[in-house]
């Protein structure tokens, strides 16, 4: 049997050098000494006198328990221990510089995560241009965008999943808990496939559209209520055949493959009717030009302060809103 006594394993102490009294000025001085090779030059680089630098280096050697440099005719040369510590010191100081840059970017709003919610129209008309601009001007801001109905966006806001959203106040939301900035109404357009039979008519009315299937939100949806109310105010019955879905993607797919008609936000209709979107297979029908949903707003929680990045995005959205309003007035 081996009865040779074994010494207990040496326990690694976290932050051992810090516990011994290691200080950042010592690391700065050692890095400067490695770069200059002279105590006097290193002292000047860190803005201290040579005697103070010599005392600081002596304290550092006592802290680490090893000689860190040797004097020679030209100045000093770092020992292997000094070179090892200087290399790590440089990494630490560089890491602190990076952290300071990151903190500055976060506090100035140049960096951070912003979670936005939006109903369909402003998602295309407002948020998409802001995303393009941010990718150029502030690429370190990470955006998360949720496009849904106002009731779902309101739930996400109160759950802490959104910084703000563009939409409307859903039923049951307490007005005292939110801050609201009204933006404007959301025009609605009727869309159909590019070669729809109605496209061959010289004149077109909303009544002509009722001969075809309609794709709309489920009952109670704001866009559906808007379309049905518009028909009733114009002396028309609601469509006889309705396919209900809350999915815009499914709506567009059905429209592009059938003779169905759908009411969607005008900004989205114009986007998807362009040749660059959805294969150019969707058109906006030249009817119901005055159909519009009630105004939408920028909505946030009143007692929650926006992050610097969120404030920057909000300011960009406000500026984009002003530009759209100015162009609308000009035309």
């Amino acid at each position: 049997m081996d009865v040779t006594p074994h010494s207990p394993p040496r326990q690694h102490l976290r932050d051992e050098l810090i516990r011994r009294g290691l200080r950042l000025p010592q690391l700065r001085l050692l890095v400067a000494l490695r770069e200059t090779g002279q105590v006097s030059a290193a002292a000047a680089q860190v803005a201290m006198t040579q005697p103070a630098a010599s005392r600081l280096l002596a304290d550092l050697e006592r802290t680490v328990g090893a000689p860190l440099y040797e004097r020679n005719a030209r100045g000093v040369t770092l020992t292997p221990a000094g070179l090892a510590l200087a290399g790590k010191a440089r990494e630490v100081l560089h890491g602190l510089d990076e952290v300071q840059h990151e903190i500055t970017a976060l506090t100035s709003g140049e960096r951070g995560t912003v979670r936005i919610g939006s109903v369909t129209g402003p998602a295309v008309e407002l948020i998409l241009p802001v995303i393009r601009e941010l990718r150029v001007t502030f690429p370190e801001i990470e955006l998360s965008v949720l496009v849904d109905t106002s009731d779902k966006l309101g739930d996400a806001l109160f759950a802490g999943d959104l910084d703000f959203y563009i939409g409307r106040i859903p039923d049951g939301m307490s007005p005292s808990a939110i801050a609201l900035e009204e933006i404007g109404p959301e025009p609605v357009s009727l869309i159909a496939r590019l070669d729809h039979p109605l496209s061959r008519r010289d004149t077109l009315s909303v009544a002509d559209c009722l001969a075809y299937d309609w794709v709309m939100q489920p009952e109670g949806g704001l866009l559906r209520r808007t379309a049905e109310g518009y028909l009733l105010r114009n002396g028309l019955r609601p469509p006889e055949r309705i396919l209900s879905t809350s999915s815009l993607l499914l709506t567009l797919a059905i429209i592009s493959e059938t003779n169905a008609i759908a009411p969607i936000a005008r900004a989205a209709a114009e986007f998807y009717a362009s040749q660059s979107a959805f294969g150019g297979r969707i058109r906006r029908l030249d009817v119901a030009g005055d159909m519009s949903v009630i105004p939408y707003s920028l909505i946030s929680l009143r007692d929650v302060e926006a992050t610097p990045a969120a404030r920057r995005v909000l300011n960009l959205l406000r500026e984009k809103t002003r530009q759209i309003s100015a162009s609308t007035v000009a035309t």
Side-chain angles (χ1 to χ4, degrees):
M1 178 185 300
D2 183 7
V3 294
T4 303
H6 293 278
S7 59
R10 183 174 182 272
Q11 297 296 321
H12 175 69
L13 295 177
R14 293 187 59 186
D15 309 324
E16 185 172 352
L17 290 178
I18 300 296
R19 294 171 185 272
R20 292 184 187 179
L22 181 69
R23 291 173 289 158
L24 286 178
Q26 293 172 324
L27 298 183
R28 291 181 62 233
L29 180 59
L30 185 62
V31 170
L33 189 62
R34 178 183 178 182
E35 293 173 350
T36 63
Q38 294 182 334
V39 175
S40 59
Q45 190 175 111
V46 298
M48 67 174 58
T49 65
Q50 182 172 340
S54 297
R55 288 193 298 271
L56 204 62
L57 289 170
D59 290 343
L60 181 58
E61 287 183 325
R62 284 191 292 272
T63 297
V64 301
L68 299 176
Y69 66 98
E70 299 173 344
R71 297 186 181 276
N72 55 50
R74 295 184 177 181
V76 298
T77 302
L78 295 189
T79 65
L83 288 171
L85 183 57
K88 288 297 182 182
R90 188 168 186 173
E91 292 179 13
V92 169
L93 295 174
H94 180 67
L96 290 175
D97 288 340
E98 290 184 336
V99 168
Q100 180 58 50
H101 173 74
E102 182 175 347
I103 292 172
T104 300
L106 288 169
T107 55
S108 66
E110 296 177 6
R111 183 174 185 177
T113 299
V114 182
R115 303 157 304 167
I116 307 173
S118 180
V119 292
T120 305
V124 175
E125 190 174 26
L126 292 175
I127 293 179
L128 183 56
V130 167
I131 290 175
R132 293 195 190 108
E133 182 172 343
L134 284 172
R135 293 283 69 81
V136 176
T137 55
F138 299 101
E140 292 189 90
I141 293 181
E142 180 181 344
L143 291 179
S144 171
V145 182
L146 172 65
V147 179
D148 214 321
T149 56
S150 291
D151 57 336
K152 300 288 182 59
L153 297 175
D155 290 343
L157 180 68
F158 277 89
D161 296 330
L162 294 176
D163 293 297
F164 60 87
Y165 75 88
I166 303 177
R168 299 163 186 88
I169 303 177
D171 294 338
M173 179 180 285
S174 172
S176 62
I178 61 171
L180 181 147
E181 300 175 38
E182 186 172 298
I183 297 176
E186 184 176 15
V188 176
S189 291
L190 298 181
I191 61 170
R193 64 184 174 93
L194 189 62
D195 52 352
H196 194 280
L198 292 177
S199 64
R200 295 189 288 270
R201 296 201 179 191
D202 295 331
T203 58
L204 185 62
S205 68
V206 177
D208 297 327
C209 300
L210 296 177
Y212 298 90
D213 296 348
W214 280 43
V215 184
M216 294 203 288
Q217 290 178 340
E219 288 188 9
L222 179 60
L223 194 56
R224 178 163 176 170
R225 296 202 314 268
T226 297
E228 290 175 339
Y230 181 87
L231 293 172
L232 290 173
R233 288 194 301 273
N234 285 274
L236 301 170
R237 294 177 177 271
E240 293 184 2
R241 298 180 301 277
I242 297 175
L243 172 62
S244 298
T245 178
S246 59
S247 170
L248 177 60
L249 179 60
L250 181 58
T251 297
L252 294 170
I254 293 172
I255 293 302
S256 65
E257 298 293 335
T258 70
N259 285 334
I261 291 170
I264 67 171
R266 183 170 301 167
E270 292 176 346
F271 177 78
Y272 288 113
S274 68
Q275 291 298 316
S276 61
F278 224 80
R281 298 173 60 187
I282 292 173
R283 66 184 301 145
R284 184 165 68 91
L285 298 176
D286 190 19
V287 290
D290 56 343
M291 188 188 303
S292 180
V293 183
I294 60 174
Y296 55 83
S297 304
L298 271 171
I299 299 175
S300 59
L301 294 178
R302 183 179 299 277
D303 295 330
V304 177
E305 184 177 357
T307 65
R311 288 198 297 271
R312 189 174 292 279
V313 175
L314 279 167
N315 288 335
L316 286 174
L317 284 169
R318 293 181 182 115
E319 178 60 29
K320 183 62 179 175
T321 300
R322 286 191 290 268
Q323 292 173 2
I324 292 176
S325 298
S327 63
T328 301
V329 172
T331 54

